[in-house]
Structure formats: C-alpha cells, structure tokens
C-alpha cells in the first residue's frame, strides 16, 4: 500500500487532533500542513503559512479542509489558484460542520470535484475518534476507500448514505464530546463542593468516565443493561437516576440539545 499525501488545511483544534492521531498511527501519511499560526508541527511534515507558500512539488491525494465554515470559500479559491491542475488530481475531505458538497465543489472551480464530507471529533487525537463520512457521487471507489482508511487510523468510521445524515452525526458524535466533558466538569465541581480534594475528585471522575468508555467499547451489552447493572433496587443510583430520568430532565434535554446543534449546522451552511 502506497503512503498517501495529505494537505491538511487548518491545523487548529480539529485539524490538530487529526494530525496528532495520524502521526502516532502505525502508517502515518505524508503530511503537508497549511496553517497561519501552527507552532508544533510534527517531525517530517512540511508547514506553509499561506496558500501562496505551497511549493510546486506538493501533489496531494487528499486535501483535508479543517478551517471554520466561514473561511472555506476564500481558502478553496486560493488553493485552486495556487494548485491549478494539481487540484484535479486530488479529492477534498471536509471536516466542517457546514457547507454542502455542491458549494465546496463550486469553490474548487469544478462541479465534479470529488468531495468527501466527514464529521469527526477531538478524541481522534488519541486514536479514539468517531467519524461520520459521506462521499459525493464524484468520489471514486479508491478515493472513498482511502478516506475511510485515513479516518480509521484515528478511530471508528461510519459511512452515511445521505449528506443530510451528517447533521445527526454532529448532534450525537461531533459535538458530543463536549457534553461528556461538561458532565466531567460538573461532577468534579460537585465532588469538591461535597468536601473532596480537587485532585481526588478529578482522579475519581476521569477514571470513572474512562472505565465507562472502555466498557461501552469492549462489551457487547446494551448501554441500558450496563446502566441497570449499577442500579440496585431502591439504592443510591436509583435515587440519583430518578432525578436525571424525570421526564423534564435528560429524556427531554438530550433531544432538545441535539435539535439545537442541528439547527446551528443548518445556519453554518448559509
Ligand atoms: N473542534 C471540534 O471539536 C470539531 C470541529 N469541526 C470542524 O472543524 C473546523 C475547524 O474547527 P476548529 O479546529 O475547532 O477551529 P480552529 O479555529 O481551532 O482551527 C482552524 C485553523 O485554521 C487556521 N486557518 C484559518 N484560516 C486560515 C487561513 N486563511 N490561512 C491559514 N490558516 C488558516 C487557523 O490558524 C486555525 O489553526 C470547523 O469547520 C468545525 O466545524 C468538526 C468536528 C469537531
Ligand atoms: O462546535 C462546532 O461547530 C464544531 C463542530 C462539531 C464540534 N465542534
């Protein structure tokens, strides 16, 4: 298998997470990075600060677009100018929460530009990401396989049949690490308010969430079964879950939060 060449455009929180995941994977891609302020580029990669700095020897198999949706149009137009016909030999892989394949292709200057839209998340940085992936009809089988292989290097990949499905992926996986980080923050804070040392609360909460993640990852059981295994009849967990599971709490709030994320993803498309 030949080593693919990537041009990673935007190496901030998400692009940087992918970069860290890729460089620590067993078969790292050949990496060119375009970012105006990156400071810790990995050994062996080449960094450009502006599209105009990209050298003539750069022929990417995949251009990974990881800038904010609002910056996509000028960036793609600049890349088209600089790369010229080299752009025609590449596929574009967007990680952006907004901007349709149709718009991205238009900004690439080519209606039949092969576009792969993905929704990864920041746990990709430790090889434990989750990515939803949609390939437009212009993507070849080989390009789609390469995109899936790349994203599998940093975690699980779920191809989705419709571009619109990526909104659901945002709501339950792309944005969702933040929901769990928030739960960690609140549990750590509550632990301290209940009298535990900061360090103790931090250790307990983090190892608990790690253990829960490991069980969900490794065991075949449904999440519901694992929850019930913790919940002794009339015990402490049941008392706490009666609060979380009250109709007006998590059962209402989780779908409400997902809808808010989806609504925002539609706005980011405009
Ligand atoms: N942060 C997250 O957890 C996730 C983010 N995403 C998507 O990833 C994309 C990037 O988000 P973040 O990484 O959070 O943002 P960020 O602001 O941390 O990263 C963007 C990077 O692009 C660079 N950049 C922007 N315009 C540039 C230009 N003209 N020339 C050179 N460099 C330029 C910036 O220097 C920055 O490092 C967004 O479209 C977002 O929807 C997707 C999934 C998860
Ligand atoms: O908040 C955002 O818009 C991005 C997309 C998913 C996670 N972060």
């Amino acid at each position: 298998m030949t080593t693919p060449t990537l041009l990673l455009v935007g190496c901030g929180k998400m692009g940087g997470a992918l970069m860290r995941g890729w460089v620590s994977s067993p078969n790292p891609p050949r990496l060119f990075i375009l970012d105006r302020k990156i400071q810790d580029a990995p050994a062996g990669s080449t960094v450009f600060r502006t599209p105009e700095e990209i050298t003539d020897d750069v022929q990417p198999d995949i251009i990974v677009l990881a800038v904010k949706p609002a910056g996509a149009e000028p960036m793609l137009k600049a890349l088209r100018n600089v790369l010229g016909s080299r752009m025609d030999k590449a596929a574009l892989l967007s990680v952006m929460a907004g901007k349709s394949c149709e718009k991205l292709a238009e900004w690439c200057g080519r209606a039949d530009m092969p576009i792969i839209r993905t929704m990864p998340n920041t746990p990709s940085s430790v090889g434990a990401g989750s990515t939803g992936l949609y390939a437009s009809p212009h993507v070849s089988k080989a390009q789609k396989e390469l995109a899936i292989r790349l994203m599998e290097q940093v975690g699980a990949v779920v191809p989705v049949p419709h571009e619109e499905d990526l909104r659901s992926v945002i709501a339950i996986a792309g944005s969702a690490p933040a929901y769990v980080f928030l739960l960690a923050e609140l549990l750590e804070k509550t632990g301290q308010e209940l009298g535990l040392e900061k360090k103790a609360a931090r250790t307990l909460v983090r190892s608990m969430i790690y253990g829960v993640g490991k069980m969900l990852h490794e065991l075949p059981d449904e999440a519901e079964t694992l929850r019930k295994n913790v919940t002794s009849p009339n015990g402490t967990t049941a008392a706490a879950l009666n609060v979380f599971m009250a109709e007006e709490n998590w059962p209402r709030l989780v779908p409400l939060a997902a809808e808010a994320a989806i609504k925002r993803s539609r706005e980011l498309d405009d």
Side-chain angles (χ1 to χ4, degrees):
M1 194 196 311
T2 53
T3 303
T5 299
L6 298 196
L7 175 59
L8 174 60
V9 180
C11 196
K13 289 180 280 296
M14 191 60 240
L18 289 171
M19 176 196 76
R20 286 188 290 282
W22 281 325
V23 297
S24 50
S25 70
N27 298 300
R30 185 165 178 231
L31 204 52
F32 293 94
I33 299 169
L34 168 58
D35 194 298
R36 61 185 160 213
K37 58 177 194 209
I38 181 174
Q39 291 186 340
D40 52 352
S45 66
T46 306
V47 173
F48 308 110
R49 300 278 162 192
T50 65
E52 292 69 32
E53 282 182 17
I54 296 175
T55 45
D56 291 345
D57 60 322
V58 179
Q59 173 57 72
D61 297 303
I62 296 204
I63 300 168
V64 179
L65 188 61
V67 296
K68 299 283 192 201
E73 180 176 3
M75 177 54 82
L76 287 175
K77 289 183 171 170
L79 287 174
R80 173 90 232 174
N81 274 339
V82 167
L83 293 174
S85 62
R86 284 179 286 162
M87 193 103 164
D88 300 333
K89 296 189 190 123
L92 180 74
L93 187 153
S94 164
V95 308
M96 299 187 305
K99 307 304 176 198
S100 64
C101 288
E102 195 183 342
K103 267 196 192 136
L104 295 173
E106 183 194 321
W107 297 333
C108 289
R110 223 186 118 191
D112 62 351
M113 179 78 188
I115 312 261
I116 298 132
R117 276 192 65 194
T118 66
M119 181 41 54
N121 59 18
T122 55
S124 304
S125 64
V126 292
S130 343
T131 298
L133 180 147
Y134 169 79
S136 77
H138 304 295
V139 176
S140 71
K141 189 164 174 276
Q143 286 169 326
K144 185 173 176 183
E145 280 170 4
L146 173 57
I148 291 177
R149 207 165 66 232
L150 273 173
M151 300 313 284
E152 277 179 346
Q153 283 185 291
V154 295
V157 178
V158 176
V160 294
H162 311 291
E163 189 169 359
E164 197 63 15
D165 295 333
L166 289 173
R167 299 194 199 286
S168 315
V169 177
I170 292 173
I172 66 152
S175 291
Y179 319 160
V180 179
F181 290 131
L182 174 63
L183 179 62
E185 282 175 60
L186 293 174
L187 286 174
E188 287 182 16
K189 184 165 169 282
T190 303
Q192 286 177 66
E193 284 165 4
L194 292 171
L196 293 173
E197 294 291 336
K198 183 174 180 181
K199 191 161 170 257
R202 185 183 154 105
T203 303
L204 289 168
V205 168
R206 286 173 185 224
S207 55
M208 179 276 292
I209 291 179
Y210 178 74
V212 166
K214 201 165 153 64
M215 286 177 84
L216 286 169
H217 187 67
E218 291 178 4
L219 303 179
D221 310 73
E222 295 298 325
E224 184 186 358
T225 308
L226 298 173
R227 166 173 63 80
K228 285 184 173 163
N229 289 346
V230 187
T231 315
S232 310
N234 211 18
T236 60
T237 314
L241 287 185
N242 281 343
V243 177
F244 286 131
M245 291 171 78
E247 193 45 48
E248 70 278 15
N249 290 336
W250 285 13
R252 192 175 72 87
L253 293 181
V254 171
L256 212 61
E259 273 169 38
I262 288 172
K263 177 168 176 282
R264 183 64 190 135
S265 82
R266 292 211 169 90
E267 292 163 1
L268 291 173
D269 265 355
D270 297 336

